[in-house]
């Protein structure tokens, strides 16, 4: 298929580009490079430095490249920043998606895979979280994604041929097995990269946010899923998508790990000491976020390959250890 990947210079988008090409699809990347990195996009992939707000430019791209389906990863993802700058999040994530969908409508592109988030469940009403669990976001980031989900429902009602799959991501982690692309956020707020930064001395210590949660060891429990497993589900969804179908899936591993357990696993993988400090809770962190992903397994035939936390951390370690400054000093990829 001819597939447009928005956010192809980002963490998950760059892994999607790689897998799509390996599967024989023709990939085009759109990225405004605000958070995405040019170095993450192979040189021989057609690349358009376009902002999601540029509806006409996107429509032209869709038509010229005869795009058949869109995987929409481009978004801002920092919860804390979204609380400080809600309008920025609604503009990029919500209005950006409206602009993209408008361009798709203009050009008759009717297949859409959307990166949503467990943050749309907010403080969940049940554990594990099912696709049917009530969605009540507790921050603008979650709401900005929730709005797009709602818009997609309305759009699919208005245009009966329009098809979408919404994936609600849990904690995406790791890097592609050869360590050549990986997570490179600035600032980096996620747990695993920060643990590894402390292990390699790039950061003085890792701060564990909160030790008084109602969990066995007092630290938060999360569901970590490997980025290549996560992306594989997108390929299944895009290639199997039929006209007018609307689907929703949680993507997680179904296993929960506490922050302390992650630290122990990282010590085993890196064989290094990891200087640690225990500090107060971070605002807005639910105690436990655990996915039930049976639906994706049953309906898409999705089967995560990485079931062991050490194996996931090992891939991240390979990336960070070989790219201590992220993409900063990386040559453009061939
Ligand atoms: N966390 C932590 N120290 C850090 C970063 C994260 O203790 O430097 C904790 C955080 O409170 C949460 C878990 O690790 O319980 C995962 O956080 P992350 O930001 O990776 O993902 P989130 O679950 O917020 O999407």
């Amino acid at each position: 298929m001819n597939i447009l990947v928005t956010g192809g210079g980002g963490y998950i988008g760059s892994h999607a580009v790689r897998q799509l090409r390996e599967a024989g699809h023709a990939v085009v990347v759109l990225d405004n490079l605000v958070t995405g990195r040019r170095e993450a996009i192979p040189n021989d992939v057609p690349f358009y430095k376009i902002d999601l707000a540029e509806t006409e430019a996107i429509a032209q791209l869709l038509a010229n490249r005869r795009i058949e389906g869109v995987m929409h990863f481009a978004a801002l993802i920092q919860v804390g920043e979204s609380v400080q700058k809600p309008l920025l999040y609604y503009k990029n994530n919500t209005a950006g998606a409206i602009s993209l969908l408008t361009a798709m409508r203009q050009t008759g592109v009717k297949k859409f895979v959307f990166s949503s988030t467990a943050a749309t469940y907010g403080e969940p009403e049940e554990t594990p979280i099912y696709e049917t669990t009530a969605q009540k976001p507790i921050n603008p980031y979650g709401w900005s994604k929730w709005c797009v989900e709602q818009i997609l429902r309305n759009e699919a009602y208005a245009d009966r041929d329009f098809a979408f799959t919404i994936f609600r991501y849990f904690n995406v982690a790791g890097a592609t097995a050869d360590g050549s692309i990986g997570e490179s956020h600035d600032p980096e707020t996620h747990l695993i990269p920060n643990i590894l930064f402390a292990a390699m001395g790039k950061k003085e210590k890792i701060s564990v946010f909160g030790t008084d949660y109602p969990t066995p060891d007092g630290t938060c429990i999360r569901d970590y899923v490997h980025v290549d497993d996560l992306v594989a589900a997108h390929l299944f969804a895009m290639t199997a998508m039929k006209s007018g179908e609307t689907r929703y899936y949680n993507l997680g591993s179904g296993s929960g790990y506490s922050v302390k357990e992650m630290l122990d696993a990282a010590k085993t993988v890196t064989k290094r000491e990891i200087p640690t400090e225990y500090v107060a809770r971070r605002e807005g962190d639910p105690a436990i976020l655990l996915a039930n992903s049976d639906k994706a397994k049953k309906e898409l035939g999705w089967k995560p390959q990485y079931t062991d936390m050490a194996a996931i951390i090992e891939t991240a370690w390979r990336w960070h250890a070989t790219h201590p400054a992220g993409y900063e000093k990386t040559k453009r990829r061939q």
Side-chain angles (χ1 to χ4, degrees), residues 23 86 100 130 134 150 179 196 206 234 322:
L100 175 60
Y130 290 82
Q150 181 58 29
L196 298 179
I206 174 77
H234 294 61
T322 53

Side-chain angles (χ1 to χ4, degrees), residues 3-5 12 15 53 77 101 108 133-134 142-143 148 163 194 198 202 231 248 252 258 271 283 295 298 318 334:
I3 295 173
L4 173 67
V5 174
I12 303 171
H15 286 78
I77 60 158
L101 290 164
T133 300
W143 279 115
V148 180
N194 276 305
K202 181 175 169 179
V231 163
Y248 303 81
S258 73
K271 303 187 181 64
E283 208 185 329
K295 194 163 172 264
K298 195 162 156 257
R318 205 167 297 146
Q334 296 305 310

Side-chain angles (χ1 to χ4, degrees), residues 171 189-191 206-209 220 222 224 259 282 285:
N171 289 63
T189 60
H190 291 126
L191 180 65
I206 174 77
S207 307
V208 174
F209 300 138
C220 285
R222 292 289 180 273
Y224 297 87
V259 175
R282 183 171 71 179
D285 277 341

Side-chain angles (χ1 to χ4, degrees), residues 175-291:
T176 204
D178 69 8
S180 60
I181 51 173
E183 193 165 6
S184 183
H185 296 121
D186 185 21
E188 184 54 79
T189 60
H190 291 126
L191 180 65
I192 295 177
N194 276 305
I195 289 179
L196 298 179
F197 291 166
M200 60 203 264
K202 181 175 169 179
K203 201 181 149 105
E204 195 189 328
K205 57 195 167 192
I206 174 77
S207 307
V208 174
F209 300 138
T211 51
D212 58 349
Y213 283 99
T215 59
D217 68 18
T219 63
C220 285
I221 291 177
R222 292 289 180 273
D223 182 331
Y224 297 87
V225 55
H226 192 275
V227 61
D228 274 334
D229 281 332
L230 180 103
V231 163
H234 294 61
L235 270 74
F236 287 135
M238 182 58 93
T239 46
M241 196 178 283
K242 298 209 169 54
S243 179
E245 272 182 354
T246 60
R247 293 167 176 261
Y248 303 81
Y249 301 106
N250 289 337
L251 291 180
S253 67
S255 305
Y257 290 83
S258 73
V259 175
K260 278 189 181 157
E261 286 172 327
M262 297 298 286
L263 266 166
D264 289 342
K267 280 180 196 157
T268 308
V269 169
T270 61
K271 303 187 181 64
R272 300 212 185 163
E273 278 306 305
I274 301 177
T276 305
E277 66 170 353
Y278 295 92
V279 298
R281 292 182 179 197
R282 183 171 71 179
E283 208 185 329
D285 277 341
I288 302 176
L289 285 177
L290 205 52

